Amino acid sequence: MSLTHTIALDALQAAIRQVVTGFGSAPDEVKAVADNLIEANLTGHDSHGIGMLPRYAAAFLEGGLKPNTHVKTVVDAGALLRLDGDAGFGQVIGAEAMHIGIARARQLGCCIMALGNSHHLGRIGAWAEMAVAQGLVSLHFVNVISRAIVAPYGGADARFGTNPFTAGVPLPGREPLILDFATSVIAQGKTRVAHNKGESVPPGSLIDDTGQDTVNPRYSVIEPFGAILAFGAHKGYGMAVLCELLGGALAAGMAVHDGDSSKKRVLNGMLTVIIDPARLADPAVYAQEALAFVDWVKASPPRAGFESVRLAGEPERESRARRVVQGVPVDGTTWAEILDAAGKLGVDPMAVQRAAGLV
Ligand SMILES: NC(=O)c1ccc[n+]([C@@H]2O[C@H](COP(=O)([O-])OP(=O)(O)OC[C@H]3O[C@@H](n4cnc5c(N)ncnc54)[C@H](O)[C@@H]3O)[C@@H](O)[C@H]2O)c1
Protein backbone atom coordinates (compact mmCIF):
# COMPACT_ATOMS: atom_id res chain seq x y z
CA MET A 1 0.00 0.00 0.00
CA SER A 2 1.43 3.39 -1.02
CA LEU A 3 1.95 6.42 1.22
CA THR A 4 -0.96 8.87 1.37
CA HIS A 5 -0.21 12.60 1.17
CA THR A 6 -2.57 15.02 2.87
CA ILE A 7 -2.44 18.24 0.88
CA ALA A 8 -3.84 21.55 2.12
CA LEU A 9 -6.63 22.89 -0.09
CA ASP A 10 -4.86 26.07 -1.27
CA ALA A 11 -1.66 24.15 -2.07
CA LEU A 12 -3.65 21.51 -3.96
CA GLN A 13 -5.44 24.21 -5.96
CA ALA A 14 -2.11 25.81 -6.92
CA ALA A 15 -0.57 22.45 -7.88
CA ILE A 16 -3.52 21.17 -9.91
CA ARG A 17 -3.99 24.47 -11.72
CA GLN A 18 -0.34 24.18 -12.82
CA VAL A 19 -0.99 20.70 -14.21
CA VAL A 20 -4.08 21.89 -16.10
CA THR A 21 -2.14 24.72 -17.78
CA GLY A 22 -0.39 21.89 -19.65
CA PHE A 23 -3.56 21.39 -21.74
CA GLY A 24 -3.09 24.94 -23.10
CA SER A 25 -6.38 25.96 -21.50
CA ALA A 26 -7.35 29.61 -21.09
CA PRO A 27 -7.16 30.83 -17.46
CA ASP A 28 -10.93 30.46 -16.85
CA GLU A 29 -10.78 26.87 -18.07
CA VAL A 30 -7.74 26.09 -15.92
CA LYS A 31 -9.68 27.27 -12.87
CA ALA A 32 -12.93 25.51 -13.87
CA VAL A 33 -11.25 22.12 -14.47
CA ALA A 34 -8.98 22.23 -11.41
CA ASP A 35 -11.67 23.47 -9.05
CA ASN A 36 -14.30 20.98 -10.26
CA LEU A 37 -11.93 18.03 -9.83
CA ILE A 38 -10.81 19.21 -6.38
CA GLU A 39 -14.44 19.74 -5.39
CA ALA A 40 -15.06 16.03 -6.17
CA ASN A 41 -12.18 15.16 -3.82
CA LEU A 42 -13.56 17.49 -1.16
CA THR A 43 -16.96 15.79 -1.30
CA GLY A 44 -15.23 12.43 -0.77
CA HIS A 45 -15.53 11.22 -4.38
CA ASP A 46 -11.81 10.75 -5.07
CA SER A 47 -12.85 8.54 -8.00
CA HIS A 48 -13.96 11.67 -9.88
CA GLY A 49 -11.35 14.08 -8.59
CA ILE A 50 -7.77 14.94 -9.51
CA GLY A 51 -7.01 11.25 -10.16
CA MET A 52 -8.83 11.68 -13.50
CA LEU A 53 -6.09 14.00 -14.80
CA PRO A 54 -3.80 11.24 -16.15
CA ARG A 55 -6.74 9.88 -18.16
CA TYR A 56 -7.60 13.38 -19.41
CA ALA A 57 -3.94 13.89 -20.40
CA ALA A 58 -3.90 10.61 -22.34
CA ALA A 59 -7.18 11.56 -24.06
CA PHE A 60 -5.83 15.03 -24.94
CA LEU A 61 -2.53 13.69 -26.29
CA GLU A 62 -4.34 11.34 -28.68
CA GLY A 63 -6.73 14.10 -29.81
CA GLY A 64 -9.89 12.93 -28.02
CA LEU A 65 -10.23 15.90 -25.65
CA LYS A 66 -10.34 19.45 -27.06
CA PRO A 67 -9.40 22.24 -24.62
CA ASN A 68 -10.90 25.75 -24.99
CA THR A 69 -14.11 24.40 -26.52
CA HIS A 70 -17.53 25.84 -25.67
CA VAL A 71 -21.00 24.32 -25.79
CA LYS A 72 -23.05 24.84 -28.94
CA THR A 73 -26.84 24.92 -29.22
CA VAL A 74 -27.97 22.52 -31.94
CA VAL A 75 -31.75 22.63 -31.39
CA ASP A 76 -33.59 25.46 -29.61
CA ALA A 77 -37.29 24.67 -29.34
CA GLY A 78 -38.42 26.51 -26.23
CA ALA A 79 -38.41 24.10 -23.32
CA LEU A 80 -36.52 21.57 -25.44
CA LEU A 81 -32.80 22.16 -26.01
CA ARG A 82 -30.18 20.06 -27.73
CA LEU A 83 -26.55 20.98 -27.08
CA ASP A 84 -23.22 19.66 -28.31
CA GLY A 85 -19.98 19.66 -26.33
CA ASP A 86 -17.59 18.92 -29.25
CA ALA A 87 -15.32 16.86 -26.93
CA GLY A 88 -14.53 19.92 -24.79
CA PHE A 89 -13.68 19.65 -21.09
CA GLY A 90 -16.85 18.45 -19.33
CA GLN A 91 -16.07 20.80 -16.48
CA VAL A 92 -16.65 23.73 -18.86
CA ILE A 93 -19.28 22.18 -21.14
CA GLY A 94 -21.34 20.94 -18.18
CA ALA A 95 -21.35 24.33 -16.47
CA GLU A 96 -22.19 26.21 -19.69
CA ALA A 97 -25.00 23.75 -20.50
CA MET A 98 -26.47 24.06 -17.01
CA HIS A 99 -26.41 27.88 -17.21
CA ILE A 100 -28.42 27.68 -20.45
CA GLY A 101 -30.86 25.07 -19.08
CA ILE A 102 -31.37 26.93 -15.79
CA ALA A 103 -32.11 30.20 -17.59
CA ARG A 104 -34.65 28.41 -19.79
CA ALA A 105 -36.34 26.70 -16.81
CA ARG A 106 -36.56 30.08 -15.04
CA GLN A 107 -38.24 31.53 -18.11
CA LEU A 108 -40.62 28.68 -19.01
CA GLY A 109 -40.98 26.72 -15.74
CA CYS A 110 -39.12 23.70 -17.07
CA CYS A 111 -36.47 22.64 -19.51
CA ILE A 112 -35.51 19.33 -21.04
CA MET A 113 -31.91 19.58 -22.16
CA ALA A 114 -30.06 17.00 -24.24
CA LEU A 115 -26.27 17.25 -24.12
CA GLY A 116 -24.08 15.12 -26.34
CA ASN A 117 -20.39 14.75 -27.07
CA SER A 118 -19.09 16.33 -23.86
CA HIS A 119 -15.80 15.03 -22.54
CA HIS A 120 -16.11 13.49 -19.03
CA LEU A 121 -18.61 15.49 -16.95
CA GLY A 122 -17.01 14.40 -13.67
CA ARG A 123 -19.17 14.30 -10.56
CA ILE A 124 -22.69 14.77 -11.91
CA GLY A 125 -23.85 16.06 -8.51
CA ALA A 126 -21.99 19.29 -9.30
CA TRP A 127 -24.56 20.02 -12.05
CA ALA A 128 -27.54 19.25 -9.81
CA GLU A 129 -26.04 21.59 -7.20
CA MET A 130 -26.06 24.43 -9.75
CA ALA A 131 -29.81 23.94 -10.28
CA VAL A 132 -30.79 23.58 -6.61
CA ALA A 133 -28.76 26.71 -5.78
CA GLN A 134 -31.39 28.50 -7.92
CA GLY A 135 -34.29 26.73 -6.18
CA LEU A 136 -34.78 24.32 -9.11
CA VAL A 137 -35.25 20.54 -9.25
CA SER A 138 -32.93 18.73 -11.67
CA LEU A 139 -32.76 15.14 -12.91
CA HIS A 140 -29.83 13.76 -14.91
CA PHE A 141 -29.58 10.52 -16.89
CA VAL A 142 -26.01 9.99 -18.08
CA ASN A 143 -24.25 7.48 -20.36
CA VAL A 144 -20.54 6.92 -20.81
CA ILE A 145 -18.85 6.40 -24.19
CA SER A 146 -15.65 4.57 -23.28
CA ARG A 147 -14.56 0.97 -22.79
CA ALA A 148 -17.61 -0.99 -21.54
CA ILE A 149 -17.00 -1.92 -17.89
CA VAL A 150 -20.36 -2.97 -16.39
CA ALA A 151 -22.09 -6.32 -17.00
CA PRO A 152 -25.83 -6.54 -17.67
CA TYR A 153 -27.86 -8.44 -15.04
CA GLY A 154 -27.22 -12.10 -15.75
CA GLY A 155 -24.37 -11.36 -18.20
CA ALA A 156 -20.75 -12.49 -17.80
CA ASP A 157 -18.98 -9.59 -19.52
CA ALA A 158 -19.10 -5.80 -19.74
CA ARG A 159 -21.57 -4.14 -22.11
CA PHE A 160 -21.91 -0.49 -20.93
CA GLY A 161 -20.46 2.13 -18.58
CA THR A 162 -21.19 3.09 -14.98
CA ASN A 163 -24.05 5.33 -16.24
CA PRO A 164 -24.79 7.68 -13.33
CA PHE A 165 -28.24 8.89 -12.28
CA THR A 166 -28.44 12.14 -10.34
CA ALA A 167 -31.22 14.25 -8.82
CA GLY A 168 -31.14 17.54 -6.98
CA VAL A 169 -34.22 18.60 -5.01
CA PRO A 170 -34.34 21.90 -3.08
CA LEU A 171 -35.73 21.69 0.44
CA PRO A 172 -36.84 25.18 1.44
CA GLY A 173 -34.78 26.52 4.34
CA ARG A 174 -32.66 23.36 4.48
CA GLU A 175 -29.74 21.82 2.63
CA PRO A 176 -30.96 20.15 -0.62
CA LEU A 177 -31.27 16.46 -1.44
CA ILE A 178 -28.43 15.55 -3.84
CA LEU A 179 -28.84 11.95 -4.94
CA ASP A 180 -25.87 11.14 -7.17
CA PHE A 181 -24.64 7.65 -7.93
CA ALA A 182 -23.21 5.37 -10.57
CA THR A 183 -25.61 2.56 -11.50
CA SER A 184 -22.77 0.09 -10.95
CA VAL A 185 -22.23 -1.34 -7.44
CA ILE A 186 -19.12 0.84 -7.28
CA ALA A 187 -17.86 3.62 -9.55
CA GLN A 188 -15.04 2.57 -11.91
CA GLY A 189 -12.81 5.24 -10.41
CA LYS A 190 -13.24 3.55 -7.04
CA THR A 191 -11.76 0.33 -8.45
CA ARG A 192 -8.80 2.44 -9.75
CA VAL A 193 -8.37 4.05 -6.33
CA ALA A 194 -8.57 0.62 -4.61
CA HIS A 195 -6.05 -0.79 -7.11
CA ASN A 196 -3.69 2.15 -6.50
CA LYS A 197 -4.00 1.69 -2.73
CA GLY A 198 -3.52 -2.10 -2.93
CA GLU A 199 -6.99 -2.66 -1.40
CA SER A 200 -9.80 -5.11 -2.26
CA VAL A 201 -13.21 -4.08 -3.57
CA PRO A 202 -16.34 -5.17 -1.67
CA PRO A 203 -17.60 -8.71 -2.39
CA GLY A 204 -20.42 -8.74 -4.92
CA SER A 205 -19.16 -5.75 -6.91
CA LEU A 206 -16.89 -7.34 -9.53
CA ILE A 207 -16.51 -10.40 -11.75
CA ASP A 208 -13.28 -11.56 -13.38
CA ASP A 209 -12.60 -12.25 -17.06
CA THR A 210 -14.32 -15.63 -16.76
CA GLY A 211 -17.47 -14.21 -15.11
CA GLN A 212 -16.58 -15.46 -11.59
CA ASP A 213 -16.97 -13.25 -8.47
CA THR A 214 -13.73 -11.51 -7.40
CA VAL A 215 -12.63 -8.79 -4.93
CA ASN A 216 -9.44 -8.00 -6.89
CA PRO A 217 -9.82 -4.51 -8.46
CA ARG A 218 -7.23 -5.37 -11.14
CA TYR A 219 -10.02 -6.94 -13.22
CA SER A 220 -11.47 -3.48 -13.73
CA VAL A 221 -8.11 -1.72 -14.22
CA ILE A 222 -5.71 -3.93 -16.22
CA GLU A 223 -6.19 -6.66 -18.81
CA PRO A 224 -7.61 -9.23 -18.92
CA PHE A 225 -10.69 -7.25 -17.91
CA GLY A 226 -13.70 -8.57 -16.01
CA ALA A 227 -16.73 -6.40 -15.26
CA ILE A 228 -18.32 -4.40 -12.46
CA LEU A 229 -21.87 -5.50 -11.57
CA ALA A 230 -24.90 -3.19 -11.74
CA PHE A 231 -26.24 -2.19 -8.28
CA GLY A 232 -29.50 -3.64 -7.03
CA ALA A 233 -29.59 -6.68 -9.34
CA HIS A 234 -32.20 -6.32 -12.13
CA LYS A 235 -33.44 -2.95 -10.78
CA GLY A 236 -30.12 -1.08 -10.94
CA TYR A 237 -29.42 -2.80 -14.25
CA GLY A 238 -32.72 -1.39 -15.51
CA MET A 239 -31.67 2.12 -14.46
CA ALA A 240 -28.33 1.70 -16.23
CA VAL A 241 -30.16 0.75 -19.41
CA LEU A 242 -32.47 3.75 -18.95
CA CYS A 243 -29.43 6.07 -18.67
CA GLU A 244 -27.97 4.59 -21.87
CA LEU A 245 -31.26 4.99 -23.76
CA LEU A 246 -32.02 8.52 -22.48
CA GLY A 247 -28.53 10.00 -21.88
CA GLY A 248 -26.93 8.11 -24.77
CA ALA A 249 -29.27 7.20 -27.64
CA LEU A 250 -31.72 10.10 -27.12
CA ALA A 251 -29.64 12.98 -25.71
CA ALA A 252 -26.25 12.34 -27.28
CA GLY A 253 -27.14 10.32 -30.37
CA MET A 254 -24.37 7.99 -29.22
CA ALA A 255 -24.79 4.73 -27.29
CA VAL A 256 -22.34 1.92 -26.50
CA HIS A 257 -22.57 -1.05 -28.84
CA ASP A 258 -19.07 -2.29 -29.50
CA GLY A 259 -16.14 -3.48 -27.42
CA ASP A 260 -13.80 -0.73 -28.62
CA SER A 261 -11.26 -0.06 -25.86
CA SER A 262 -8.68 1.63 -28.07
CA LYS A 263 -9.52 5.26 -27.21
CA LYS A 264 -8.63 7.07 -23.99
CA ARG A 265 -11.30 9.75 -24.26
CA VAL A 266 -14.42 9.45 -22.08
CA LEU A 267 -17.51 11.09 -23.52
CA ASN A 268 -20.71 11.61 -21.55
CA GLY A 269 -24.21 12.06 -22.90
CA MET A 270 -26.68 13.62 -20.47
CA LEU A 271 -30.45 14.10 -20.52
CA THR A 272 -31.30 16.79 -17.95
CA VAL A 273 -34.80 17.71 -16.78
CA ILE A 274 -35.01 20.99 -14.87
CA ILE A 275 -38.23 22.02 -13.10
CA ASP A 276 -39.08 25.24 -11.28
CA PRO A 277 -41.13 23.85 -8.37
CA ALA A 278 -42.67 27.26 -7.67
CA ARG A 279 -44.31 27.19 -11.13
CA LEU A 280 -45.72 23.71 -10.64
CA ALA A 281 -46.98 23.65 -7.06
CA ASP A 282 -48.02 25.96 -4.23
CA PRO A 283 -44.62 26.77 -2.66
CA ALA A 284 -46.05 26.79 0.87
CA VAL A 285 -47.66 23.36 0.44
CA TYR A 286 -44.50 21.92 -1.16
CA ALA A 287 -42.31 23.31 1.64
CA GLN A 288 -44.59 21.99 4.37
CA GLU A 289 -44.99 18.51 2.88
CA ALA A 290 -41.34 18.10 1.86
CA LEU A 291 -39.99 19.17 5.24
CA ALA A 292 -42.57 17.15 7.19
CA PHE A 293 -41.60 14.05 5.18
CA VAL A 294 -37.86 14.63 5.65
CA ASP A 295 -38.29 15.15 9.41
CA TRP A 296 -40.42 12.00 9.64
CA VAL A 297 -37.85 9.90 7.76
CA LYS A 298 -34.88 11.21 9.73
CA ALA A 299 -36.67 10.52 13.02
CA SER A 300 -36.42 6.78 12.37
CA PRO A 301 -34.32 5.31 15.21
CA PRO A 302 -30.92 4.21 13.87
CA ARG A 303 -30.47 0.47 13.85
CA ALA A 304 -27.32 -1.36 14.89
CA GLY A 305 -24.27 -0.23 12.91
CA PHE A 306 -25.73 3.17 11.97
CA GLU A 307 -25.27 6.50 13.77
CA SER A 308 -28.26 8.24 12.23
CA VAL A 309 -30.58 8.30 9.25
CA ARG A 310 -29.12 10.65 6.66
CA LEU A 311 -30.40 12.11 3.42
CA ALA A 312 -28.49 11.97 0.14
CA GLY A 313 -26.11 14.90 -0.02
CA GLU A 314 -25.26 14.86 3.69
CA PRO A 315 -22.17 12.59 3.43
CA GLU A 316 -20.70 14.85 0.74
CA ARG A 317 -21.28 18.01 2.79
CA GLU A 318 -19.72 16.37 5.86
CA SER A 319 -16.66 15.26 3.86
CA ARG A 320 -16.30 18.72 2.36
CA ALA A 321 -16.42 20.47 5.74
CA ARG A 322 -13.74 18.08 7.05
CA ARG A 323 -11.38 18.18 4.07
CA VAL A 324 -11.51 21.97 3.64
CA VAL A 325 -10.01 22.17 7.12
CA GLN A 326 -7.84 19.05 7.29
CA GLY A 327 -6.62 18.88 3.67
CA VAL A 328 -7.25 16.35 0.90
CA PRO A 329 -5.76 12.85 1.16
CA VAL A 330 -4.16 11.72 -2.11
CA ASP A 331 -2.65 8.24 -2.29
CA GLY A 332 0.96 8.06 -3.45
CA THR A 333 0.24 6.08 -6.63
CA THR A 334 -2.40 8.56 -7.78
CA TRP A 335 -0.05 11.48 -7.00
CA ALA A 336 2.80 9.84 -8.93
CA GLU A 337 0.45 9.33 -11.91
CA ILE A 338 -0.53 13.02 -11.77
CA LEU A 339 3.14 14.10 -11.77
CA ASP A 340 3.81 11.77 -14.68
CA ALA A 341 0.85 13.26 -16.58
CA ALA A 342 2.17 16.77 -15.82
CA GLY A 343 5.48 15.83 -17.44
CA LYS A 344 3.69 14.49 -20.53
CA LEU A 345 1.81 17.80 -20.78
CA GLY A 346 5.07 19.76 -20.63
CA VAL A 347 4.62 20.93 -17.01
CA ASP A 348 7.61 20.55 -14.66
CA PRO A 349 6.63 17.83 -12.11
CA MET A 350 8.98 19.34 -9.52
CA ALA A 351 7.17 22.67 -9.75
CA VAL A 352 3.89 20.80 -9.13
CA GLN A 353 5.45 19.04 -6.14
CA ARG A 354 6.63 22.36 -4.74
CA ALA A 355 3.23 24.01 -5.25
CA ALA A 356 1.62 21.09 -3.36
CA GLY A 357 4.06 21.63 -0.48
CA LEU A 358 5.49 18.12 -0.87
CA VAL A 359 9.15 19.19 -1.24
N1 LIG B 1 -19.12 11.25 -15.36
C1 LIG B 1 -19.23 9.95 -15.35
O1 LIG B 1 -19.08 9.29 -16.37
C2 LIG B 1 -19.55 9.24 -14.08
C3 LIG B 1 -19.79 7.85 -14.10
C4 LIG B 1 -20.10 7.21 -12.91
C5 LIG B 1 -20.14 7.91 -11.71
N2 LIG B 1 -19.90 9.25 -11.72
C6 LIG B 1 -19.89 10.00 -10.46
O2 LIG B 1 -19.22 9.23 -9.47
C7 LIG B 1 -19.60 9.69 -8.20
C8 LIG B 1 -19.59 8.55 -7.24
O3 LIG B 1 -20.65 7.64 -7.52
P1 LIG B 1 -20.86 6.39 -6.55
O4 LIG B 1 -21.86 5.49 -7.17
O5 LIG B 1 -19.54 5.84 -6.17
O6 LIG B 1 -21.48 7.11 -5.26
P2 LIG B 1 -21.86 6.46 -3.85
O7 LIG B 1 -22.03 4.99 -3.93
O8 LIG B 1 -20.89 7.02 -2.86
O9 LIG B 1 -23.31 7.08 -3.58
C9 LIG B 1 -23.41 8.45 -3.45
C10 LIG B 1 -24.85 8.84 -3.20
O10 LIG B 1 -25.40 8.13 -2.08
C11 LIG B 1 -25.69 9.07 -1.03
N3 LIG B 1 -25.39 8.43 0.26
C12 LIG B 1 -24.21 7.88 0.62
N4 LIG B 1 -24.32 7.38 1.89
C13 LIG B 1 -25.57 7.64 2.32
C14 LIG B 1 -26.30 7.39 3.51
N5 LIG B 1 -25.74 6.78 4.56
N6 LIG B 1 -27.58 7.79 3.60
C15 LIG B 1 -28.18 8.42 2.56
N7 LIG B 1 -27.55 8.68 1.38
C16 LIG B 1 -26.27 8.31 1.27
C17 LIG B 1 -24.80 10.24 -1.30
O11 LIG B 1 -25.27 11.43 -0.67
C18 LIG B 1 -24.88 10.31 -2.81
O12 LIG B 1 -26.08 10.89 -3.25
C19 LIG B 1 -20.91 10.43 -8.41
O13 LIG B 1 -20.66 11.80 -8.17
C20 LIG B 1 -21.25 10.21 -9.88
O14 LIG B 1 -21.87 11.32 -10.50
C21 LIG B 1 -19.62 9.93 -12.87
Side-chain angles (χ1 to χ4, degrees):
M1 184 167 159
S2 64
L3 176 80
T4 294
H5 309 289
T6 299
I7 306 176
L9 179 56
D10 53 352
L12 191 62
Q13 283 168 337
I16 296 304
R17 286 179 192 175
Q18 278 202 33
V19 178
V20 180
T21 58
F23 291 95
S25 292
D28 283 356
E29 182 165 286
V30 169
K31 187 173 180 312
V33 173
D35 291 3
N36 171 281
L37 293 174
I38 292 171
E39 185 67 22
N41 288 95
L42 288 175
T43 58
H45 293 292
D46 296 334
S47 56
H48 287 71
I50 59 173
M52 289 302 299
L53 278 170
R55 180 74 187 257
Y56 290 2
F60 167 66
L61 292 171
E62 69 177 27
L65 162 61
K66 297 189 206 157
N68 302 311
T69 297
H70 297 280
V71 80
K72 291 170 194 65
T73 301
V74 182
V75 174
D76 184 341
L80 291 170
L81 289 171
R82 185 175 193 90
L83 310 177
D84 187 276
D86 196 19
F89 266 115
Q91 286 73 12
V92 171
I93 299 295
E96 290 178 346
M98 286 304 295
H99 277 300
I100 295 171
I102 286 169
R104 197 54 64 93
R106 282 225 158 289
Q107 187 191 341
L108 299 176
C110 66
C111 176
I112 296 177
M113 181 175 75
L115 172 63
N117 209 17
S118 171
H119 199 264
H120 192 242
L121 286 161
R123 185 179 73 92
I124 307 303
W127 314 126
E129 284 163 5
M130 279 181 72
V132 295
Q134 304 280 321
L136 304 171
V137 171
S138 77
L139 308 175
H140 308 260
F141 301 86
V142 180
N143 88 324
V144 190
I145 298 289
S146 183
R147 173 173 69 84
I149 53 178
V150 179
Y153 182 63
D157 69 2
R159 295 287 154 157
F160 44 81
T162 54
N163 295 3
F165 169 77
T166 300
V169 181
L171 296 170
R174 306 266 183 96
E175 295 286 4
L177 177 104
I178 302 288
L179 181 63
D180 175 30
F181 55 75
T183 49
S184 48
V185 175
I186 50 173
Q188 206 268 342
K190 288 189 176 153
T191 65
R192 171 175 47 77
V193 172
H195 183 66
N196 284 351
K197 288 181 170 174
E199 293 174 355
S200 299
V201 294
S205 53
L206 198 61
I207 53 178
D208 67 16
D209 58 319
T210 64
Q212 302 297 312
D213 286 325
T214 179
V215 294
N216 187 344
R218 69 157 302 294
Y219 286 104
S220 167
V221 182
I222 50 175
E223 290 185 73
F225 295 120
I228 308 175
L229 298 177
F231 84 95
H234 55 288
K235 304 180 189 185
Y237 159 58
M239 281 199 75
V241 170
L242 191 64
C243 287
E244 194 71 36
L245 293 176
L246 298 184
L250 180 63
M254 221 189 290
V256 175
H257 39 68
D258 64 28
D260 183 11
S261 60
S262 62
K263 298 189 183 74
K264 291 293 179 191
R265 55 108 176 90
V266 184
L267 297 176
N268 281 140
M270 178 163 78
L271 184 79
T272 298
V273 179
I274 307 175
I275 304 165
D276 183 349
R279 303 274 289 269
L280 192 62
D282 179 334
V285 173
Y286 169 65
Q288 184 196 310
E289 289 302 302
L291 299 184
F293 171 71
V294 165
D295 289 341
W296 162 250
V297 166
K298 286 180 66 80
S300 177
R303 64 191 176 95
F306 292 82
E307 277 178 17
S308 63
V309 170
R310 296 193 286 176
L311 276 191
E314 286 184 39
E316 286 74 16
R317 286 190 289 273
E318 288 163 10
S319 168
R320 189 177 197 289
R322 207 169 40 245
R323 289 185 170 189
V324 163
V325 174
Q326 296 175 357
V328 176
V330 185
D331 71 85
T333 308
T334 298
W335 187 249
E337 288 174 358
I338 291 170
L339 295 181
D340 182 59
K344 289 180 179 152
L345 293 169
V347 175
D348 176 12
M350 277 310 288
V352 177
Q353 280 277 71
R354 271 195 301 279
L358 295 178
V359 283

